[in-house]
Amino acid sequence: MISQTEENYLKALYNLTYLKGEASVNEISKRLEIKMPTVNSMMKKLSEKGLVHYESYKPLKLTEEGKKEAALIIRKHRLTEMYLVEKMGFAWDEVHQIAEQIEHIHSPEFFTKMDQLLGYPTVDPHGSPIPDHNGVMRSESYIFLDTCKTGDVVTLMAVQPSSKELLQYLSAKDLELGTTLTILSIEPFDNSITVSYGDRTSAVLSSKVTATLLVRPIS
Amino acid sequence: MISQTEENYLKALYNLTYLKGEASVNEISKRLEIKMPTVNSMMKKLSEKGLVHYESYKPLKLTEEGKKEAALIIRKHRLTEMYLVEKMGFAWDEVHQIAEQIEHIHSPEFFTKMDQLLGYPTVDPHGSPIPDHNGVMRSESYIFLDTCKTGDVVTLMAVQPSSKELLQYLSAKDLELGTTLTILSIEPFDNSITVSYGDRTSAVLSSKVTATLLVRPIS
DNA sequence: CTAATAAGTTAGATTATACTAACAAAATAT
DNA sequence: ATATTTTGTTAGTATAATCTAACTTATTAG
Ligand SMILES: [Mn+2]
Ligand SMILES: [Mn+2]
Ligand SMILES: [Mn+2]
Ligand SMILES: [Mn+2]
């Protein structure tokens, strides 16, 4: 049995780990706003349960089993967000807090039904992939916008990490998933990028923003 | 702040209290399958919080505030059951366990949206009334089937208490909410009742069953 | 290469929720 | 009216999840 609390730790570790493969007690502590000694004991407990590789002073990793459990929670989270947007009419910046709670519901039938009603989607409303029912995440080859060059033409695929503030900022700028961006120039001083898209012939995006936008280059 | 655990106690007390106005530590203990000393301390705690009237060796009652809080949780439970049946295609005997969890979600918007999508229903799929957003339960004048007389014609409105087993039994007998029953005879020995409804010209219902069926007499 | 800072760990306390054992009060049966 | 049974309460224990204070190890800056 994995408690709701433990599930939140597994998910945090999974997300922190997603790009780098490992994470620290300190990072989890900051993300969950829980003090380091608490995180430390929890990591030991999850290690006892075979979900985390824990060794003193070493970076943390999920075991295969831990990875699967985490991915299945993330699957529930993203299916829920998708359902709230597609079937209930919520805006994409309103669904995260609700999904944060519903992801802990124990009912395979409930999520199977959602999946079915949604037509078995593979990405959530923020463009992040939805793991399958075995916890396997279709790994995409998206890149961050701040790694692109002048002249590149790309499609906005996902936002990571996606805070409520960021999503509202993007909405205000008419930046939606699927939007095609052309990179006009890159300012060397602060790495801000000037792009054009839709009606906008010239918009400046700070490096803080471009570091969170995952895009797919258009061949 | 009311915890999920506390919410379940409040709801149990509300439901036990619904007809009689009061309930005992022992009844809550049985219903929640939690030992009496635990229930006892929880009642004291809820009393501290102003939600329960507690006096040693006296029956338990909810305060007005406690009644409202409980009704609002029951509102979330019943809206959820309604949503699962009407919008997601679950059968009425599959939704209770899911609603038991979703009733604890903290998100006014989520339940407001459900309510709206359902067209502001006033009864759940079992026919029980849904309290309004102020926790006021439209009190119905349904009566139990075992209080009816031979010759009465009634409509099945609700099932209380409704166990999974009972709902399956009713499904198998084609007894649905809204079904009109004619009482043909009452067996004095065991109080079983013979009724006709739909295609069935003669069906026998035991007193165990008739004691749970709430009906509205037809004029 | 030390000295200072940051990160990780251990120890001990706290709160919420549960339990068992033992006792007290109330209800029921004889 | 007393004995028995049921219900309610108290006391003490356990586990999960959190914290602060103090200490240790690792990293970073001079
Ligand atoms: Mn989310
Ligand atoms: Mn969560
Ligand atoms: Mn129910
Ligand atoms: Mn519940």
Side-chain angles (χ1 to χ4, degrees):
Chain A
M1 270 287 70
I2 303 178
S3 72
Q4 186 155 324
T5 303
E6 290 169 333
E7 288 187 342
N8 283 331
Y9 282 89
L10 285 178
K11 197 157 64 85
L13 184 49
Y14 187 100
N15 284 325
L16 285 167
T17 281
Y18 188 55
L19 297 170
K20 293 174 300 177
E22 52 186 48
S24 67
V25 170
N26 193 238
E27 287 168 316
I28 298 176
S29 171
K30 279 172 182 150
R31 164 163 308 210
L32 297 180
E33 296 182 273
I34 287 172
K35 295 291 182 290
M36 285 186 16
T38 308
V39 173
N40 194 272
S41 340
M42 184 56 87
M43 289 305 117
K44 285 177 166 177
K45 181 161 57 135
L46 293 175
S47 168
E48 285 303 309
K49 290 192 174 190
L51 300 166
V52 167
H53 290 297
Y54 175 87
E55 282 182 276
S56 276
Y57 298 104
K58 296 263 177 65
L60 300 162
K61 290 179 198 173
L62 287 165
T63 62
E64 279 310 305
E65 193 190 342
K67 215 172 282 181
K68 179 174 176 181
E69 290 295 343
L72 289 174
I73 301 157
I74 289 168
R75 172 177 167 78
K76 293 196 282 182
H77 182 103
R78 294 185 179 166
L79 275 178
T80 299
E81 291 191 338
M82 198 68 182
Y83 187 90
L84 293 170
V85 169
E86 295 293 315
K87 300 294 174 185
M88 296 188 76
F90 282 97
W92 80 332
D93 58 349
E94 300 173 331
V95 298
H96 182 78
Q97 281 313 309
I98 303 177
E100 201 56 54
Q101 299 175 66
I102 294 195
E103 69 191 359
H104 305 293
I105 300 290
H106 294 298
S107 170
E109 308 77 32
F110 181 57
F111 294 100
T112 298
K113 185 72 84 175
M114 265 191 194
D115 195 23
Q116 177 193 317
L117 292 169
L118 288 168
Y120 311 102
T122 57
V123 294
D124 83 354
H126 311 137
S128 305
I130 299 176
D132 69 20
H133 54 66
N134 293 123
V136 177
M137 179 107 72
R138 180 199 52 137
S139 54
E140 289 285 355
S141 54
Y142 301 151
I143 57 174
F144 284 104
L145 182 55
D146 64 358
T147 64
C148 296
K149 306 178 305 297
T150 301
D152 284 358
V153 180
V154 300
T155 304
L156 180 56
M157 299 305 291
V159 178
Q160 194 177 61
S162 73
S163 65
K164 181 163 182 156
E165 292 71 26
L166 175 60
L167 294 176
Q168 285 170 344
Y169 170 84
L170 296 178
S171 278
K173 290 238 167 190
D174 295 325
L175 263 173
E176 295 173 0
L177 292 185
T179 301
T180 296
L181 306 164
T182 303
I183 299 170
L184 302 177
S185 64
I186 301 174
E187 171 58 48
F189 176 63
D190 64 0
N191 284 308
S192 65
I193 291 182
T194 306
V195 295
S196 69
Y197 60 92
D199 301 337
R200 315 223 176 188
T201 51
S202 167
V204 177
L205 301 174
S206 71
S207 66
K208 181 170 179 184
V209 172
T210 59
T212 67
L213 301 183
L214 282 160
V215 300
R216 187 179 57 200
I218 293 185
S219 89
Chain B
M1 269 288 70
I2 303 178
S3 72
Q4 185 154 324
T5 302
E6 290 169 333
E7 287 187 344
N8 283 331
Y9 282 90
L10 286 178
K11 197 157 64 87
L13 184 49
Y14 186 100
N15 284 326
L16 285 167
T17 281
Y18 188 56
L19 297 170
K20 295 173 301 177
E22 52 186 47
S24 65
V25 170
N26 193 238
E27 288 168 316
I28 298 176
S29 171
K30 281 173 182 151
R31 164 165 306 212
L32 298 180
E33 297 182 90
I34 287 171
K35 295 291 183 290
M36 286 184 24
T38 307
V39 173
N40 194 272
S41 342
M42 184 57 87
M43 290 305 116
K44 285 177 165 177
K45 181 164 55 138
L46 293 174
S47 168
E48 285 303 308
K49 290 192 172 188
L51 299 167
V52 167
H53 291 296
Y54 175 88
E55 282 183 275
S56 277
Y57 298 105
K58 296 264 177 66
L60 300 161
K61 290 178 199 175
L62 287 165
T63 63
E64 279 310 305
E65 193 191 342
K67 215 173 283 183
K68 179 173 177 181
E69 290 295 343
L72 288 175
I73 302 158
I74 290 167
R75 171 177 166 76
K76 293 196 281 180
H77 182 104
R78 294 184 178 165
L79 274 178
T80 299
E81 291 191 338
M82 198 65 182
Y83 187 89
L84 292 171
V85 169
E86 295 293 315
K87 299 296 173 186
M88 296 188 77
F90 282 97
W92 78 333
D93 58 349
E94 301 173 330
V95 299
H96 181 78
Q97 281 313 309
I98 302 177
E100 201 57 52
Q101 300 174 67
I102 293 194
E103 68 191 0
H104 306 292
I105 299 288
H106 293 298
S107 171
E109 307 78 31
F110 180 58
F111 294 100
T112 299
K113 186 72 84 175
M114 265 191 194
D115 195 24
Q116 178 193 315
L117 292 170
L118 287 167
Y120 311 102
T122 57
V123 293
D124 83 356
H126 310 137
S128 304
I130 299 175
D132 69 20
H133 54 67
N134 293 123
V136 176
M137 179 106 74
R138 179 200 53 138
S139 54
E140 289 285 354
S141 54
Y142 300 151
I143 57 174
F144 284 104
L145 182 55
D146 64 358
T147 64
C148 295
K149 305 179 306 299
T150 300
D152 283 0
V153 180
V154 301
T155 303
L156 180 56
M157 299 306 291
V159 177
Q160 194 177 62
S162 75
S163 64
K164 180 162 184 156
E165 292 71 25
L166 176 60
L167 294 176
Q168 284 170 345
Y169 169 85
L170 296 177
S171 279
K173 290 239 168 188
D174 294 325
L175 265 172
E176 295 173 359
L177 293 185
T179 300
T180 296
L181 306 164
T182 305
I183 298 171
L184 302 177
S185 65
I186 301 175
E187 170 58 50
F189 176 63
D190 63 0
N191 283 309
S192 63
I193 292 183
T194 305
V195 294
S196 68
Y197 61 93
D199 301 336
R200 316 224 176 187
T201 52
S202 168
V204 178
L205 301 175
S206 71
S207 65
K208 181 168 178 184
V209 172
T210 59
T212 67
L213 301 182
L214 282 160
V215 300
R216 187 180 56 200
I218 292 184
S219 95

